[in-house]
Amino acid sequence: IRDHGMFIDGNGSLWTFGGGSSGRLGTGDDSRRSAPTKVVEEGVASVALYDWFSFFIKDDGSLWSMGNNHYGRIGHPSINVTVRTPTQVIDSGVYQVAAGGWHSLVLKYDGSLWAVGRNHLGQLGDGTTQNRSTYVQIIDSGVVRIAANNVQSFFIKDNGSLWAMGSNSHGMLGDGTKEKKITPIQIVESGVVDVSAGHVHTLFVKDD
């Protein structure tokens, strides 16, 4: 992450600090904050952020975002706007959010996977290279964990299999090629419990 941070305190309040460019701190302006500033009073369950935008999920399963919406990557209905205060983009059912460089992934409690944003290298996994400014469903059930970074995406299914889509220029999808994948491909058949996507490499943990 370029130069901002977020944390949740014991009361469920959200605090942000660092560089405020593109409104990514959610404070209503672009000013830098050298000390943590509270932006949500309570009820925040988890956070995710990338260089120019930020997300958080509330206890009620709603997803909120702030920052630069280039290519629609934060899920705001107005493409390319800058959102400087927390704005709800999904009203319920969100379990996890993963912020990639130009796109984002959302995992819902029902195991469905959704994606939004730039898709020029197939990182949304919808079988096209068409950008999406509203969330599109990629998988209807069975997903338990997600990860995204730059122009690639990953998810783990409830059978422990690892799947990937998007850019593969440095072999970071792990399928033995360097060809982009515009639909999800299975990388590992079983036993995967966690995955982390780096800028041009990927790591995963197995259940042993």
Side-chain angles (χ1 to χ4, degrees), residues 135-206:
Y135 286 96
V136 59
Q137 187 177 81
I138 308 303
I139 304 291
D140 60 4
S141 64
V143 179
V144 296
R145 190 144 184 92
I146 57 176
N149 197 322
N150 197 27
V151 287
Q152 69 270 24
S153 304
F154 298 87
F155 61 90
I156 302 170
K157 299 196 77 173
D158 52 14
N159 62 1
S161 58
L162 175 64
W163 298 71
M165 54 267 198
S167 174
N168 200 18
S169 58
H170 292 79
M172 59 270 205
L173 299 189
D175 71 334
T177 78
K178 293 184 179 181
E179 300 171 359
K180 71 174 185 278
K181 301 298 186 295
I182 65 173
T183 56
I185 59 166
Q186 183 174 285
I187 306 301
V188 180
E189 185 176 344
S190 63
V192 179
V193 295
D194 203 1
V195 59
S196 180
H199 188 68
V200 289
H201 75 296
T202 309
L203 305 176
F204 64 90
V205 181
K206 299 195 77 174

Side-chain angles (χ1 to χ4, degrees), residues 41 106 110 132 172 176:
E41 183 61 37
V106 165
D110 62 6
R132 304 290 184 177
M172 59 270 205

Side-chain angles (χ1 to χ4, degrees), residues 39-103:
V39 295
V40 180
E41 183 61 37
E42 60 184 8
V44 178
S46 64
V47 299
L49 58 160
Y50 206 81
D51 288 353
W52 303 109
F53 56 99
S54 308
F55 290 98
F56 62 90
I57 301 170
K58 299 194 77 173
D59 293 336
D60 61 5
S62 59
L63 178 65
W64 299 68
S65 63
M66 53 265 199
N68 182 284
N69 195 39
H70 203 36
Y71 296 105
R73 61 190 171 185
I74 68 171
H76 191 280
S78 298
I79 303 175
N80 297 330
V81 300
T82 296
V83 180
R84 291 183 170 85
T85 57
T87 301
Q88 183 176 290
V89 291
I90 297 179
D91 59 4
S92 65
V94 177
Y95 174 70
Q96 186 186 357
V97 58
W102 300 98
H103 71 296

